[in-house]
Amino acid sequence: MKPEFRIGYGYDSHEFQPGIPLRIGGVTIPHPQGLGGHSDGDLLLHALTDALLGAIAGPDIGSLFPPSDPQWKNADSAVFLCEALQRVKTAGYELVNLDSTLILSAPKIGPHAEAIRKQVAGLCGISPDCVSIKAKTPEGLGTENAAIASVAILVKRIS
Ligand SMILES: [Zn+2]
C-alpha cells in the first residue's frame, strides 16, 4: 500500500538581468530587471515543479526540461508545472497545500503576494487558502543580484 501522504521540497535561484520581464508565480511584476536563465525565469514555479516531482521521487525539472534544449527558451513555466501535476496524478496523488519562501532584495513582494497566491492556486487547482507566499530580504547572504525560492508541499493519496 502506498503511503497516504508524501512531502516534497524544491529550491531554485536565478540571476537578475536588465531589460527582461520579471515573472514570479506566473505573475508579471513591474521591475526594471527580470530573472534570466531557463525559460521565463519563474523561480517560484520551478521550485514548485521540483517539489511536486520530489514528492513522487520523480526526475527533476532539469532532467525533464533541459535548459540546453532551445524549445524551453522563454517558455512559460506553467508548462513545467502542468507536467509535474500530471505526474503526481498518474502516481495516484493530489496536491494538498504548498508553503513557499522567496528571498530577494527587490522588488517588494508584499504588494503582489495576493496576485501570486491566486495565480499559483489556479494553476494547481487548489484553494488560495492552501497556498502560502512568504518573502524575505537576503540579510547577510550577499545575493543582492539573485532571487531564491524554496517550496515545501504535501501530497495526499487519491482514495
Ligand atoms: Zn529555475
Side-chain angles (χ1 to χ4, degrees):
M1 194 61 174
K2 289 188 286 193
E4 187 177 1
F5 295 100
R6 300 179 68 144
I7 64 160
Y9 172 72
Y11 171 93
D12 196 25
S13 69
H14 283 255
E15 190 173 18
F16 279 103
Q17 289 175 6
I20 56 172
L22 176 59
R23 296 266 293 176
I24 297 182
V27 175
T28 303
I29 295 174
H31 194 59
Q33 296 189 310
L35 294 166
H38 195 18
S39 65
D40 61 2
D42 194 326
L43 78 170
L44 181 57
L45 295 192
H46 295 175
L48 172 55
T49 297
D50 253 351
L52 287 161
L53 295 169
I56 55 166
D60 68 12
I61 188 171
S63 310
L64 289 179
F65 308 101
S68 53
D69 186 335
Q71 75 169 302
W72 307 123
K73 189 172 164 52
N74 301 323
D76 184 341
S77 295
V79 172
F80 311 150
L81 176 58
C82 285
E83 173 66 22
L85 287 163
Q86 189 55 48
R87 284 175 181 251
V88 166
K89 194 174 168 191
T90 302
Y93 287 88
E94 63 184 5
L95 178 61
V96 177
N97 75 309
L98 74 94
D99 184 11
S100 70
T101 303
L102 296 161
I103 304 174
L104 70 174
S105 53
K108 288 253 172 281
I109 293 301
H112 308 286
E114 200 52 38
I116 295 171
R117 199 154 87 111
K118 285 194 180 128
Q119 182 69 16
V120 171
L123 288 169
C124 292
I126 60 176
S127 163
D129 291 355
C130 295
V131 175
S132 160
I133 307 292
K134 308 189 300 297
K136 305 175 77 70
T137 53
E139 301 300 323
L141 289 179
T143 56
E144 277 68 20
N145 202 40
I148 297 167
S150 60
V151 176
I153 62 147
L154 185 71
V155 297
K156 187 175 100 184
R157 196 177 63 222
I158 300 165
S159 50

